[in-house]
Amino acid sequence: MNHNQHRNERQHPGRTPTERHRAHRNVLTAAMLAALYLPLAAAAQEASAQEATSAAGEVKSIDKITVTGSRIKRAEVEGPAPVTVISADQIKREGFSTVYEALSTLTEVTGSVQADVNKGPTPNASPLNMRNLGPGRTLLLIDGRRVADYPLPYEGRGNFANFNNIPMAAVERIEVLASGGSAIYGSDAMAGVINVIMKKNFNGDEVRIKGGTTTRGGGDSFDLSWTGGRTGDKWSATYGVQWSGRETLFAGDREFVDSDLEPANTVKPLVNDPWPWVWGVELIDSASKRRVTPPTGACDRFQDLPLHNFIGNEGNAPEFPGYSCTQSKGNALWSLRNGSNNVSAFGNFSYDFDNGMQAWVSASLWDSEGESRQDEALRFELNRGGAFYDQSTGRSYQARRAFTVPEAGGRDPFLFYTNERSWDLAGGLRGSFGEKLNWDATIGRTEYKVDFSFPSVVQSAVDEYFLGPQLGTNGGLPAYQLNQSRFWNPMDMATFQRLTTHGHSSAKSWMNQAQFAVNGDLFDLPAGPVGFAAVLEAGSQGYRLSPDPLTFGPNKQYDQPGGTNQGGGDRKRYAIGVEFKLPLLESLDLTTAGRFDRYDDDSRKEGNFTWNAGLEWRPIESLLLRGAYNTTFRAPDMHYLFATSGTGTQESADVASCIKRNQGPNCGSASVYYRHATSRTGNLKLDSETGKSWSAGLVWDATDNLSFSADYWRMTIDNQVRDFDIADILDLESQCINGVPRRSSDRMQVTPGSSTCSNILSRVTRSSPGTNSFGVADPNYPLGQVTSVRSGPINIAYREVAGVDVSARYKLPATAWGDFSFALNYTNQLKNNEQRDPGAPMQENRDNDVRTFARASASWSRGPWNATLFANRIGHTNGDNYNRCAPIMPGQTSTECRMVGKLKAPIYFNLTAGYQLTEQARVNLYIDNLFDEAEYKDPYKMFFIYANERVFSRVGREISAEFVYKFD
């Protein structure tokens, strides 16, 4: 019996139970397939759903489709591993404007990433952290093809995929596999795979016009799109353009986060000093370690730099007591949500030849201008922060200053700008070998380029303006004559422009890929046909970082905020894989796959074999019991390998000195919390990460209207690559030197005298014992002052995460009030453990992160009306001082320990409603963050943004309206 005969028999009422089981699961499954995988237009979807069931409730013809996680086409929605499918219509109904916004609310996305308020060197990119395994361990595919990495490294460290540059107008649906997929897709699919399926076979034209704003002010947005398509007897063409943008939302637009000097009795009871980096105009006497009181009226001459008395916080003495002109609204220029202006175009075309072969080509272009603001820019220290001798007063000083908006002539000189362009071009041929096997040959190239413009201070110019030429030395310090008049008075715009600049860095990444795949049925077993798929892949990828040449090296003139990153490299990859689906019994299927990947680059030639196996057992037609086991791997991140030099500065706690001086565990004293240099290089000796992923669960269609699923999942990584965090290095350095942990309740993570400690100690450079960084004797630094710390990627021993996913779908039987449907997804992360070295204690991190996630929706439709209420709950997270005694507040006399608990778990609601005006025209209303959740703060977090920025929104309620028009 050939393949077509076998399928035809299954479509007839007289088929056997086995054949009938292969064609369908139940009425609900058929309807889901029709809705998710065969959307052409609203009328076509309704027709498909009607044809899917007969009057007797019997399923008829359903085409097989390829679902992410397997290359074998199948008729069932569910397989051995859970796959979440989100349609473009669902994204809109739930109130989301972009792919990233929708994906970031999935309960499988349990890990935190940089928010807009602290994006660092990647201000216009949006990664996802699925299963809390890190952004680089989720593979992004567009129509099954890999995309180029975002060119700038995440946090200045590793490469990742940007989910912010996918035009929503081009998306038909998104498939999310939240388990290991290396045996099918190769490297990077350790936490899962997100496959964005673009629109095809579109008939007619659709225009969308949308505009919105926030009810608290600022953040205006717009979205214009046109999607169209035409089909003929042998051809199909789909095309579209989209123009969207949103206004930058600044902290100054939200009065509850724009100030560092808020009244103690309103928001931050412990903060009556700003942190050291909140500067204004400050002159510090180095000998007395006190601030020099500004001349009378000096602070009044500056906007927003009132006179402030530093008295300390949390029971600690201030860094430098005394008065200075200090920013009262130093946060006002931070961007709470970055602005952007995006233009995209996309299209695909296919042609069917008479011999059954099909040719196709697809192309997309994304062009974006981004705008953001970070705190580090346009503040400076004279003499690069070092003390200097002032000949006019005979005293030694440190001086630091922040430029003000009036000096700059406006806000624009403080902003960061990104210009991005990415494009993807692919084409191929499809055909068949006989009647059972189909083949698909694809080639493509994708590129991504980013130009990054940033404000900075020309150090030599500010030193010359305020200090003049060096006048020799005095007491080992450089001697100058500080121009007090210039220092204590605002400058004009021309002077500001002379002392500052806008630097320019760029980066580029690319990927070439070719693939030949075969799939179909090999032969029949008693329980059904044996499914088969095979793939051959070849490709190359690379990246280049081109930082501003004046931010490093002998000709350095200014700093790039967030540090300067250099590096670049390229590599080739090859892969071969096979997959089988074996019907063991009428109700039991086994799916298995194996794949070999080889990576060639300047550091290695390495091969990795991965495999998986999955079982699907249907003891009754409405119940699926499933399980899957996968081995996974990730080739070392290219920037982890090829970073050549990264430099910058940051403020850190000198933990070793803190413990040595018995000042632990908070290390809040200014003498042990200070700024030092940083450096970072790649590591060509990194091993590939390897791992395992398995899941087990069930899917139960309890009734025609109720579906339920539950799965347990567990993922492990051996040789996990992680950037050695500088704070972590300094903490471990203290353990190596002092032989005790920072807190008595903590466990030792390293063994003093071990090779691990030798490596850690080599990363920290200190001045001579008993001296500061200038070589001056200082009892504050018995071990010497930290002058620089070298970080970089390392392999650690082990990482483990585990949890449960639960979902439910219910459709209320038709009522006189309309049609109602409900959906719920819930994830609980049960484990999040890490082990640095074999034999070292396991670090349990579950309590340090969000543990539970839930999303739910209720939808209603009646006649031309429809509405959806969507809710997203992010579980409790730790605040500052969690599980410790609450710090003593000013004026508090009780010393009783009050344990600090977790912060609240916010729930955000979106409400959407639509009305069909005519057959062609429709209007929609969107309200995001319906109840305006925005102002919650952690009472013990003393720095911007005053709570976990991933959990707590600062935007507030947004309202937008949309007009949709369809025509032939």
Side-chain angles (χ1 to χ4, degrees):
M1 180 183 297
N2 64 36
H3 174 71
N4 289 332
Q5 290 172 329
H6 181 81
R7 189 175 70 173
N8 289 337
E9 286 200 12
R10 290 188 298 175
Q11 295 171 1
H12 287 81
R15 58 185 181 262
T16 67
T18 299
E19 293 164 339
R20 188 164 56 250
H21 171 73
R22 296 297 171 194
H24 73 284
R25 290 177 53 200
N26 57 22
V27 176
L28 180 61
T29 298
M32 291 174 66
L33 277 167
L36 292 175
Y37 299 114
L38 305 175
L40 299 177
Q45 289 179 355
E46 292 176 6
S48 297
Q50 292 169 358
E51 292 174 3
T53 56
S54 68
E58 188 174 358
V59 176
K60 293 195 175 180
S61 173
I62 299 175
D63 290 339
K64 291 184 177 182
I65 47 87
T66 301
V67 181
T68 299
S70 173
R71 296 185 186 276
I72 298 175
K73 292 187 176 183
R74 57 189 301 135
E76 296 88 359
V77 174
E78 301 287 357
V83 174
T84 300
V85 181
I86 312 171
S87 68
D89 286 341
Q90 178 184 345
I91 292 174
K92 294 183 179 72
R93 286 197 311 270
E94 293 177 345
F96 303 112
S97 300
T98 68
V99 169
Y100 173 74
E101 287 177 357
L103 291 176
S104 62
T105 68
L106 294 181
T107 63
E108 297 90 343
V109 182
T110 56
S112 296
V113 294
Q114 283 185 321
D116 277 5
V117 296
N118 61 359
K119 277 290 181 66
T122 54
N124 205 38
S126 297
L128 288 175
N129 186 356
M130 199 150 65
R131 300 303 195 198
N132 212 354
L133 288 181
R137 297 181 184 89
T138 298
L139 178 62
L140 171 62
L141 304 174
I142 304 294
D143 283 336
R145 302 188 306 274
R146 288 173 174 258
V147 300
D149 290 330
Y150 190 73
L152 293 170
Y154 177 71
E155 295 183 325
R157 300 174 181 178
N159 302 118
F160 67 98
N162 179 19
F163 289 83
N164 198 40
N165 71 327
I166 303 170
M168 188 63 233
V171 175
E172 176 182 305
R173 68 181 186 273
I174 304 171
E175 299 176 351
V176 181
L177 171 70
S179 61
S182 291
I184 305 297
Y185 301 106
S187 178
D188 303 335
M190 303 192 82
V193 180
I194 295 178
N195 190 9
V196 181
I197 310 300
M198 310 299 266
K199 286 186 171 76
K200 302 175 188 68
N201 300 315
F202 197 91
N203 240 333
D205 293 273
E206 179 184 86
V207 175
R208 289 179 174 266
I209 304 172
K210 183 179 180 182
T213 189
T214 66
T215 57
R216 291 175 178 261
D220 295 347
S221 63
F222 70 91
D223 193 336
L224 309 175
S225 67
W226 171 31
T227 304
R230 297 291 184 272
T231 58
D233 291 339
K234 295 184 177 182
W235 61 273
S236 173
T238 302
Y239 47 82
V241 293
Q242 184 172 6
W243 178 29
S244 63
R246 66 182 185 187
E247 180 184 41
T248 307
L249 185 67
F250 293 95
D253 298 323
R254 299 291 181 267
E255 52 84 24
F256 54 88
V257 288
D258 68 351
S259 173
D260 285 281
L261 300 174
E262 295 173 350
N265 61 351
T266 57
V267 180
K268 297 178 294 180
L270 301 181
V271 182
N272 36 60
D273 275 355
W275 282 88
W277 51 80
V278 182
W279 300 342
V281 182
E282 301 182 335
L283 189 62
I284 299 162
D285 189 306
S286 300
S288 66
K289 298 198 176 208
R290 293 187 61 87
R291 285 175 165 83
V292 175
T293 302
T296 302
C299 297
D300 295 336
R301 293 191 286 268
F302 292 90
Q303 178 178 313
D304 192 32
L305 295 181
L307 186 68
H308 179 72
N309 183 18
F310 287 75
I311 61 175
N313 58 48
E314 282 195 83
N316 295 318
E319 180 188 20
F320 302 107
Y323 291 86
S324 71
C325 305
T326 302
Q327 291 172 318
S328 63
K329 293 185 178 294
N331 300 332
L333 283 178
W334 278 63
S335 51
L336 295 176
R337 191 175 66 180
N338 298 337
S340 64
N341 188 4
N342 315 303
V343 178
S344 60
F346 58 91
N348 60 74
F349 177 82
S350 64
Y351 183 83
D352 297 325
F353 296 98
D354 292 336
N355 61 2
M357 189 181 300
Q358 182 188 75
W360 63 272
V361 63
S362 70
S364 64
L365 174 68
W366 167 273
D367 200 284
S368 176
E369 297 177 358
E371 180 182 89
S372 61
R373 160 73 171 131
Q374 302 166 49
D375 180 59
E376 289 192 18
L378 300 190
R379 297 174 306 160
F380 60 91
E381 298 176 285
L382 300 185
N383 193 36
R384 284 201 172 270
F388 60 89
Y389 178 80
D390 179 32
Q391 286 198 349
S392 61
T393 61
R395 307 193 67 83
S396 61
Y397 297 121
Q398 288 176 266
R400 52 195 186 188
R401 205 177 187 284
F403 290 109
T404 65
V405 172
E407 289 177 318
R411 188 166 56 188
D412 290 352
F414 293 85
L415 301 181
F416 296 69
Y417 300 96
T418 55
N419 287 279
E420 303 185 13
R421 173 165 291 180
S422 64
W423 59 266
D424 187 319
L425 179 63
L429 295 171
R430 298 187 181 102
S432 62
F433 296 125
E435 297 182 343
K436 287 191 174 184
L437 295 178
N438 302 313
W439 59 267
D440 191 327
T442 302
I443 59 171
R445 178 176 174 87
T446 174
E447 285 190 9
Y448 206 139
K449 185 176 181 181
V450 175
D451 292 311
F452 181 45
S453 176
F454 54 90
S456 195
V457 176
V458 181
Q459 185 69 44
S460 60
V462 298
D463 284 344
E464 179 184 355
Y465 180 73
F466 290 106
L467 296 176
Q470 184 173 341
L471 305 174
T473 60
N474 188 301
L477 298 176
Y480 296 95
Q481 184 165 324
L482 175 64
N483 190 319
Q484 298 269 352
S485 176
R486 288 180 173 178
F487 189 76
W488 294 112
N489 282 282
M491 67 187 68
D492 57 30
M493 192 188 310
T495 303
F496 169 85
Q497 293 173 347
R498 192 169 75 248
L499 303 186
T500 62
T501 189
H502 246 76
H504 299 273
S505 295
S506 64
K508 180 181 178 180
S509 64
W510 63 90
M511 178 176 292
N512 302 306
Q513 49 195 324
Q515 174 183 284
F516 183 79
V518 178
N519 69 76
D521 292 340
L522 290 180
F523 52 86
D524 291 331
L525 293 177
V530 174
F532 167 76
V535 63
L536 288 171
E537 292 182 8
S540 63
Q541 65 180 125
Y543 83 109
R544 293 286 185 276
L545 299 180
S546 302
D548 190 318
L550 298 181
T551 62
F552 64 94
N555 298 319
K556 179 177 178 178
Q557 295 184 18
Y558 44 85
D559 295 320
Q560 177 170 322
T564 298
N565 284 287
Q566 300 180 64
D570 51 74
R571 64 184 176 193
K572 299 179 177 64
R573 65 178 183 89
Y574 311 93
I576 183 171
V578 294
E579 183 181 4
F580 297 93
K581 184 177 181 183
L582 305 172
L584 303 180
L585 301 171
E586 292 183 1
S587 60
L588 181 64
D589 290 341
L590 168 66
T591 302
T592 185
R595 178 179 169 120
F596 181 79
D597 288 83
R598 181 179 176 85
Y599 280 80
D600 292 354
D601 55 50
D602 293 338
S603 67
R604 73 192 63 221
K605 290 179 172 58
E606 180 180 27
N608 293 274
F609 176 75
T610 52
W611 63 276
N612 72 13
L615 284 173
E616 303 168 62
W617 181 39
R618 294 178 173 85
I620 57 177
E621 188 174 359
S622 62
L623 177 64
L624 165 65
L625 302 179
R626 63 187 178 188
Y629 178 87
N630 310 271
T631 62
T632 59
F633 89 100
R634 186 183 186 219
D637 184 291
M638 295 189 71
H639 194 59
Y640 280 154
L641 291 172
F642 300 123
T644 56
S645 177
T647 59
T649 62
Q650 78 173 47
E651 289 171 335
S652 306
D654 181 352
V655 183
S657 292
C658 174
I659 302 302
K660 191 77 171 178
R661 295 169 55 191
N662 296 316
Q663 292 184 317
N666 291 331
C667 302
S669 170
S671 60
V672 295
Y673 191 88
Y674 50 84
R675 186 169 289 271
H676 58 81
T678 63
S679 63
R680 183 187 185 278
T681 56
N683 183 356
L684 294 175
K685 296 182 180 180
L686 290 174
D687 294 323
S688 284
E689 297 176 339
T690 58
K692 301 177 180 65
S693 167
W694 68 270
S695 63
L698 60 88
V699 181
W700 179 36
D701 295 333
T703 69
D704 287 351
N705 297 322
L706 175 63
S707 177
F708 172 83
S709 71
D711 292 275
Y712 173 84
W713 50 268
R714 180 173 179 266
M715 301 177 182
T716 63
I717 301 177
D718 293 308
N719 296 322
Q720 178 187 345
V721 178
R722 188 183 78 174
D723 215 67
F724 213 164
D725 186 77
I726 288 176
D728 197 14
I729 292 172
L730 292 173
D731 200 1
L732 295 174
E733 184 215 23
S734 175
Q735 294 186 21
C736 292
I737 292 175
N738 296 309
V740 294
R742 188 168 179 173
R743 294 177 176 83
S744 59
S745 59
D746 295 342
R747 291 182 293 182
M748 288 287 289
Q749 300 179 50
V750 292
T751 303
S754 65
S755 59
T756 300
C757 274
S758 296
N759 177 273
I760 291 168
L761 294 173
S762 71
R763 293 175 177 271
V764 183
T765 302
R766 291 178 175 270
S767 60
S768 299
T771 67
N772 61 25
S773 59
F774 300 103
V776 178
D778 192 329
N780 288 316
Y781 308 105
L783 303 172
Q785 185 175 1
V786 174
T787 56
S788 68
V789 181
R790 175 177 58 86
S791 67
I794 57 172
N795 286 104
I796 68 171
Y798 182 74
R799 180 76 187 278
E800 174 190 22
V801 295
V804 293
D805 297 332
V806 178
S807 70
R809 302 287 184 272
Y810 178 66
K811 183 176 181 181
L812 194 68
T815 71
W817 299 97
D819 296 326
F820 296 85
S821 60
F822 306 88
L824 170 70
N825 294 81
Y826 172 81
T827 293
N828 190 325
Q829 184 150 325
L830 303 174
K831 290 185 178 180
N832 181 9
N833 301 331
E834 189 172 86
Q835 183 184 44
R836 181 178 302 281
D837 299 299
M842 190 73 70
Q843 300 176 46
E844 299 178 359
N845 300 320
R846 177 176 182 252
D847 281 341
N848 298 328
D849 292 319
V850 181
R851 298 181 301 190
T852 61
F853 305 82
R855 70 194 313 269
S857 65
S859 297
W860 164 82
S861 64
R862 184 186 183 191
W865 292 95
N866 76 284
T868 296
L869 179 66
F870 171 82
N872 179 36
R873 181 187 184 274
I874 306 174
H876 297 281
T877 185
N878 296 350
D880 276 26
N881 290 282
Y882 169 71
N883 207 26
R884 301 177 194 162
C885 294
I888 297 174
M889 302 202 299
Q892 181 179 324
T893 58
S894 173
T895 58
E896 180 183 355
C897 177
R898 296 177 297 106
M899 297 299 291
V900 177
K902 289 181 174 288
L903 305 181
K904 77 168 187 176
I907 303 177
Y908 298 100
F909 291 89
N910 294 347
L911 177 64
T912 66
Y915 181 76
Q916 194 75 35
L917 296 170
T918 68
E919 187 176 347
Q920 292 82 25
R922 180 179 184 81
V923 291
N924 297 313
L925 175 69
Y926 303 90
I927 306 177
D928 296 347
N929 196 348
L930 178 65
F931 297 107
D932 200 23
E933 178 79 50
E935 296 190 25
Y936 180 81
K937 293 186 180 181
D938 176 356
Y940 303 111
K941 187 169 184 178
M942 296 178 294
F943 48 90
F944 192 71
I945 193 173
Y946 313 122
N948 185 307
E949 55 267 14
R950 187 240 169 154
V951 176
F952 298 100
S953 170
R954 300 305 184 211
V955 175
R957 183 188 300 111
E958 294 184 81
I959 297 179
S960 55
E962 181 181 47
F963 177 74
V964 184
Y965 189 80
K966 298 180 179 180
F967 53 94
D968 294 332

